[in-house]
Amino acid sequence: MPPPSSSRVCASCDLAKKNGDNKLKECFSCSRQYHLRACLNASESRAAVVEDRPDWACPDCVLCELCRKAGKDNSMLLCDGCDRGYHSYCMSDSTSIDDPRWLCPLCVRSRTARKRKHSESMQSPSKSSLSASPTKRSPLKTVETKTTGTPSPIKKSPSKTVETKAMIERRALNKRLAEQRSPRRSTGSAEEEGPAYELHELALPDDLALFQEAQKRLAADNKREAVMSPKTEKQICWVQIGDKELRAWYPSPYPDALAHSYRVYVCEFCLKCILTPTLLRRHTAKCPWRHPPGNEIYRDGNISFWEVDGKLSKVYCQNLCLLAKLFLDHKTLYFDVEPFLFYIMTETSATGCHMVGYFSKVNWENRHQQFFD
């Protein structure tokens, strides 16, 4: 029989199975595998815990859980419960390296919690045991009164938890919020509908001030938009590009949200059409373009011409055609821009190259290639 592959062989004994132990645990750091029970002498409880640990490290790779450094000489303590490592000098002075069954603080804490939970469950009888034997009663559970002579059960006073001021305020706030959210039937009487709480009773002062400031800004923006964009016409009437405002002459096939707006805003570099000035400010802060996406073929002072291929910069050319349709009634080219070359005239300033005008012509190389394809 051929020997087993090296990937399934214990690094300590070079065997796949030893003394009936065929389970191998892989080291998280060096990927070597070991027999936990046969080679590392791990107990059943320790092996069960280690098998569930994805970050287990072999004795050669184990690090101290406190200082995250490797062991020096024989100063590394291995927990008998979870196989984690600790330096003896990182622990307290009372920790002895010769303890045969030393447990780390994590295992000590978890075992103490389990013992406490077990003792509490043993002290408090279950409901099923009480219902199973209703006739058996302890003589301490009842006392006889001197007046009537009838037994009365002893009531155990419930344990009271100490509540802080913050807990009381939080509970009162949750109660008021629940009353606000719960549906009520409108009967016409203000007394039956319950009390109406103010905002300062439902929110903290800092949150309330921030909310009121946001409300003021929103109201101011809505008022300014209402003045600048009346709802009398359902098409684009004004276009703002940079610091210039242009009167649109004809409709353009923009999406419905833009085509039915009274005023739109266009980025002067990528020509993207935007609905509100707030969105334009956010877009301008992130837009990486400062000139048309093409080759500069002519320059005279601050005037430049850029050659843009519709096949390479399709989105930019489509935005350019949609913008031009607002001023040209006979223009029919909007989306099929790949066979054309666009020549954009720009004026250069400190912020970038601003578009002044453009013209286009057919790129016969792309046209012939598209025809033969």
Side-chain angles (χ1 to χ4, degrees), residues 134-152:
T135 58
K136 295 181 179 180
R137 289 187 179 181
S138 174
L140 298 177
K141 294 294 183 69
T142 59
V143 294
E144 294 183 358
T145 60
K146 295 181 179 180
T147 56
T148 60
T150 57
S152 62

Side-chain angles (χ1 to χ4, degrees), residues 58-360:
C58 66
D60 296 334
C61 302
V62 64
L63 301 178
C64 177
E65 294 291 328
L66 298 178
C67 65
R68 305 305 300 171
K69 295 181 181 179
K72 295 180 180 179
D73 300 333
N74 295 326
S75 61
M76 182 67 73
L77 296 173
L78 294 180
C79 176
D80 191 66
C82 62
D83 215 28
R84 290 184 172 90
Y86 293 83
H87 286 136
S88 59
Y89 50 81
C90 291
M91 303 296 294
S92 61
D93 297 337
S94 60
T95 303
S96 175
I97 199 170
D98 298 328
D99 292 342
R101 289 185 58 81
W102 178 79
L103 297 178
C104 67
L106 296 177
C107 293
V108 172
R109 197 179 301 116
S110 62
R111 292 193 180 189
T112 304
R114 285 199 301 268
K115 288 181 180 179
R116 186 185 299 111
K117 186 177 181 181
H118 178 70
S119 61
E120 291 176 357
S121 62
M122 293 297 292
Q123 290 177 2
S124 59
S126 61
K127 294 182 179 179
S128 60
S129 62
L130 293 176
S131 60
S133 57
T135 58
K136 295 181 179 180
R137 289 187 179 181
S138 174
L140 298 177
K141 294 294 183 69
T142 59
V143 294
E144 294 183 358
T145 60
K146 295 181 179 180
T147 56
T148 60
T150 57
S152 62
I154 297 177
K155 296 182 179 180
K156 192 175 181 181
S157 60
S159 60
K160 296 183 179 180
T161 59
V162 180
E163 294 185 350
T164 61
K165 184 179 179 181
M167 295 172 61
I168 297 174
E169 292 179 354
R170 177 60 61 183
R171 187 170 65 252
L173 179 60
N174 292 338
K175 184 178 179 180
R176 290 197 295 267
L177 290 175
E179 291 177 358
Q180 287 285 341
R181 293 170 183 171
S182 60
R184 300 189 183 94
R185 295 181 180 179
S186 178
T187 58
S189 174
E191 297 179 356
E192 296 181 0
E193 292 185 359
Y197 296 101
E198 299 294 336
L199 283 177
H200 67 272
E201 299 179 358
L202 301 175
L204 299 177
D206 295 340
D207 296 340
L208 181 60
L210 185 62
F211 173 72
Q212 291 176 348
E213 182 66 22
Q215 272 192 329
K216 292 179 181 179
R217 291 183 180 181
L218 180 62
D221 291 343
N222 291 340
K223 185 177 180 179
R224 184 168 56 255
E225 286 294 326
V227 173
M228 298 175 62
S229 304
K231 305 297 182 181
T232 55
E233 301 183 36
K234 292 187 177 181
Q235 69 177 35
I236 299 175
C237 296
W238 289 95
V239 182
Q240 182 169 342
I241 306 177
D243 56 349
K244 300 177 177 61
E245 275 191 350
L246 305 176
R247 175 74 181 185
W249 297 342
Y250 307 101
S252 180
Y254 279 108
D256 292 340
L258 295 169
H260 296 163
S261 299
Y262 181 80
R263 182 188 303 269
V264 294
Y265 304 85
V266 177
C267 176
E268 53 185 339
F269 300 114
C270 68
L271 305 184
K272 181 179 180 180
C273 189
I274 301 174
L275 192 59
T276 63
T278 303
L279 295 178
L280 178 65
R281 286 195 299 269
R282 295 178 181 176
H283 170 79
T284 305
K286 296 183 293 185
C287 184
W289 292 13
R290 288 299 175 266
H291 59 77
N295 299 322
E296 186 180 11
I297 59 175
Y298 176 80
R299 179 186 297 179
D300 184 9
N302 63 341
I303 303 298
S304 299
F305 270 92
W306 302 78
E307 184 184 53
V308 182
D309 193 344
K311 188 176 182 180
L312 301 179
S313 304
K314 186 175 181 180
V315 176
Y316 177 86
C317 296
Q318 288 177 349
N319 292 337
L320 178 61
C321 292
L322 290 173
L323 177 63
K325 182 63 179 73
L326 294 172
F327 309 97
L328 299 175
D329 185 25
H330 61 277
K331 186 172 182 58
T332 58
L333 174 66
Y334 312 121
F335 304 106
D336 187 18
V337 296
E338 295 182 2
F340 293 88
L341 289 174
F342 295 83
Y343 296 89
I344 294 94
M345 179 181 178
T346 62
E347 184 179 2
T348 306
S349 67
T351 57
C353 299
H354 310 275
M355 187 187 69
V356 178
Y358 88 100
F359 67 92
S360 61

